[in-house]
Amino acid sequence: MARAGAAQGAAVRDLDGRTYAGAPVALTSLTLSGLQVAVATAISSGAEGFEAVVVVGADVVGAAGLGADGAEPGLAAAREVSPTVTVHLLDRSGTVVVGDGVGDGVVGG
């Protein structure tokens, strides 16, 4: 987040343990969330599924629950690939605000 100067960042870990990070893109012709960038990078690199998704940033704190994929545009894409992926939403300090699946509150693995 700091390097990109973004208020939000995201990462996905694929089934082989590789991690893909993303920051939001806001261009006139293209707008993507950090999670959309991370998912697209993983899929374009050959990932076949995800173990976990992490989204960090103040914008995710008010999300209407993890089941509402519209709350974060990348969640629908991540769950299309891996319907049971573990998802964690963190505030900017790194505190888990919302988590689901096995390992709630565990970010580092």
Side-chain angles (χ1 to χ4, degrees):
M1 290 179 3
R3 183 176 179 184
Q8 182 195 72
V12 295
R13 183 172 48 206
D14 73 11
L15 299 176
D16 293 327
R18 296 174 293 199
T19 301
Y20 304 86
V25 174
L27 302 172
T28 303
S29 60
L30 178 66
T31 301
L32 298 170
S33 73
L35 185 52
Q36 287 174 313
V37 171
V39 169
T41 301
I43 295 302
S44 67
S45 297
E48 296 181 2
F50 302 121
E51 292 179 7
V53 167
V54 176
V55 181
V56 181
D59 293 346
V60 302
V61 174
L66 296 175
D69 287 339
E72 206 301 335
L75 283 177
R79 288 192 167 137
E80 179 179 339
V81 177
S82 292
T84 60
V85 66
T86 298
V87 178
H88 298 287
L89 305 181
L90 290 73
D91 65 18
R92 288 184 59 82
S93 72
T95 301
V96 176
V97 176
V98 178
D100 70 4
V102 176
D104 279 355
V106 177
V107 177

